[in-house]
Amino acid sequence: MESGKLAIIGGGKLGSALAEGMIRAGLIAEYRIHITRRNAELLKPLADKGLITGSDNIAAVKDASIVFLAVKPWQVEEVLGSLVDSLAPSAVIISLAAGVSLKKLQEASGDRFTVFRAIPNTAVAVCESVTAVCSVNASEGDIKLVGSLFSGLGIVEFIPEDKINAATVLASCGTAFALRYIRAAVEAGVEIGLSPETAVNMVAQTVKGAARLLLDGDAHPEAEIDKVTTPGGVTIAGLNAMEHAGFSSSIIKGINAAFRKTENK
Ligand SMILES: NC(=O)c1ccc[n+]([C@@H]2O[C@H](COP(=O)([O-])OP(=O)(O)OC[C@H]3O[C@@H](n4cnc5c(N)ncnc54)[C@H](OP(=O)(O)O)[C@@H]3O)[C@@H](O)[C@H]2O)c1
């Protein structure tokens, strides 16, 4: 088997973001990366950056040590079933599809391969994903390999499969939720006199900085909020007006609604 080949089946939004992240993380020096979609012309930007592109899934998985499945959830079992006879016996399969269980993946792969589910978010393109990962019967070596691959693309959380829907809501849908906060703050910033470009930079960097305070330390969000909030001051006036308009409760409600949707409730 040729060493160091990765295959991404389904070069859409997430598959392409994953490929971009792999390029940025320098994995292209370590692995040959082959990405497919049926309309392979759309992969030209990735071909220009040195990836092997095409629409032949069988050629992509041949000799690949890791195969990422990034097609739509309802396509995963059929696509995986069409590939199993072409996979190297030691190939590791990583499904990125929301809602497709490890049991279904094992069945579709004829119970012959190590199977992982991984839920990155689109920030994987800039190596800032949080990727939730679960597996069944994976060896320590495979867990280490998958963990180190995704930790080069952000941070990794290994979690039980029954928490993967919660992780999907917080970390994948969460990208949209966070961007909606940013969009609202930018609109307000323009209303109070900043240019849209300046407002985007200020809000995006402020959110990034707030996140770093938590990620680089072990502070609670409220402890960091306290540092900015002078009694009788400007910040508390803003925070309380937001809370009167339902800020925290709307976020909790939105996250619960998204979670119920993942559970089909
Ligand atoms: N977007 C996210 O934030 C996110 C986060 C976590 C997980 N996911 C999961 O990631 C998966 C992909 O989502 P997405 O948002 O990236 O969807 P998407 O943009 O529609 O990408 C799916 C891609 O699969 C390709 N495809 C379809 N059939 C194929 C086949 N037989 N062989 C090879 N490629 C094929 C499609 O391209 P052609 O039509 O050209 O074939 C399409 O580009 C989903 O299962 C989703 O649950 C997404």
Side-chain angles (χ1 to χ4, degrees):
M1 190 176 83
E2 192 181 313
S3 65
K5 182 179 176 193
L6 307 177
I8 302 172
I9 307 301
K13 289 185 284 296
L14 187 65
S16 294
L18 177 66
E20 291 284 357
M22 287 175 171
I23 295 166
R24 198 176 169 121
L27 290 176
I28 199 162
E30 207 179 322
Y31 294 97
R32 293 201 314 139
I33 304 171
H34 194 144
I35 182 166
T36 65
R37 63 181 293 168
R38 290 167 304 187
N39 190 353
E41 280 157 37
L42 296 176
L43 297 172
K44 190 171 179 312
L46 291 171
D48 292 343
K49 292 179 183 174
L51 266 57
I52 310 163
T53 60
S55 55
D56 185 346
N57 291 339
I58 303 288
V61 301
K62 189 174 180 309
D63 299 327
S65 49
I66 301 184
V67 175
F68 296 88
L69 298 172
V71 292
K72 288 290 191 192
W74 56 90
Q75 299 176 300
V76 166
E77 287 166 87
E78 193 189 329
V79 169
L80 179 53
S82 72
L83 298 177
V84 279
D85 290 336
S86 308
L87 295 171
S90 59
V92 170
I93 298 162
I94 305 180
S95 167
L96 308 180
V100 182
S101 67
L102 286 169
K103 190 165 180 287
K104 282 188 180 163
L105 294 166
Q106 282 183 305
E107 282 167 9
S109 64
D111 277 323
R112 285 156 50 196
F113 298 92
T114 302
V115 175
F116 286 81
R117 286 178 69 184
I119 304 289
N121 61 34
T122 48
V124 74
V126 290
C127 301
E128 291 286 359
S129 178
V130 51
T131 305
V133 180
C134 63
S135 65
V136 64
N137 295 336
S139 69
E140 292 244 333
D142 287 337
I143 291 173
K144 216 168 147 192
L145 174 69
V146 172
S148 80
L149 255 181
F150 282 114
S151 62
L153 302 168
I155 65 170
V156 189
E157 294 284 352
F158 282 92
I159 57 171
E161 188 174 26
D162 66 357
K163 302 290 180 233
I164 209 101
N165 286 348
T168 303
V169 170
L170 272 197
S172 292
C173 311
T175 304
F177 302 155
L179 287 166
R180 196 50 85 79
Y181 163 78
I182 290 174
R183 191 189 78 173
V186 167
E187 284 173 358
V190 173
E191 190 176 345
I192 60 177
L194 295 165
S195 75
E197 297 75 22
T198 304
V200 167
N201 284 340
M202 284 187 167
V203 178
Q205 179 60 35
T206 300
V207 169
K208 185 178 163 194
R212 280 252 76 91
L213 288 171
L214 302 182
L215 289 169
D216 288 357
D218 56 0
H220 186 278
E222 205 54 38
E224 291 301 327
I225 290 172
D226 275 351
K227 291 181 190 169
V228 196
T229 312
T230 312
V234 172
T235 307
I236 193 64
L239 281 173
N240 282 349
M242 287 178 193
E243 292 302 344
H244 283 307
F247 184 73
S248 292
S249 81
S250 76
I251 290 167
I252 293 165
K253 219 171 165 176
I255 287 172
N256 274 296
F259 180 67
R260 280 197 305 277
K261 187 87 177 166
T262 67
E263 307 265 295
N264 286 324
K265 284 179 193 158

